[in-house]
Amino acid sequence: MEKTATLNLRVNPIAKQRAEQVLKQLGIPMSTAMDMYLNQIALVGGIPFPVTLPKAPSSVNADMMSDEELVSRLNRGIADADAGRTRHASEAFQEHRSKREK
């Protein structure tokens, strides 16, 4: 099908750059990816993926904590940081992913 429509978008430049890096590895031009996205919207009658807020585990969800519990956890975190009991975020995320996959 011949492409005859032009779509001009204002997007977050960081998000665009990240998407371009992935698409480059896949060998898919941005215009083709956008065609795929628009076709999927038409096929499924909406956004072709869930649009939801991420679910935080209750153990770290501040909305589920009392004020006292939240202050206690924050103070404990500050004390851990001051004492050097820290680790790189990538390690923590990997551990979280591993637990979720089990």
Side-chain angles (χ1 to χ4, degrees):
M1 186 167 148
E2 185 180 345
K3 294 183 182 182
T4 58
T6 299
L7 186 60
N8 292 311
L9 303 169
R10 294 175 79 68
V11 298
N12 178 305
I14 296 170
K16 179 180 177 277
Q17 181 182 22
R18 289 178 180 164
E20 286 173 332
Q21 290 172 350
V22 172
L23 292 171
K24 182 178 180 181
Q25 291 176 355
L26 294 170
I28 300 172
M30 179 68 76
S31 60
T32 302
M34 290 307 300
D35 279 344
M36 293 165 63
Y37 178 62
L38 295 173
N39 280 312
Q40 282 298 304
I41 289 172
L43 285 169
V44 302
I47 304 294
F49 48 82
V51 180
T52 59
L53 295 173
K55 304 273 190 255
S58 58
S59 62
V60 296
N61 187 343
D63 290 336
M64 305 290 285
M65 296 179 200
S66 68
D67 289 348
E68 295 79 19
E69 185 179 8
L70 178 58
V71 168
S72 172
R73 286 179 178 240
L74 289 170
N75 286 333
R76 190 172 42 204
I78 291 168
D80 284 344
D82 288 344
R85 293 185 298 266
T86 62
R87 60 185 171 154
H88 196 278
S90 63
E91 294 173 23
F93 287 129
Q94 182 59 43
E95 180 182 319
H96 176 70
R97 277 190 218 105
S98 297
K99 287 180 182 178
R100 256 189 1 202
E101 292 171 357
K102 289 180 181 181

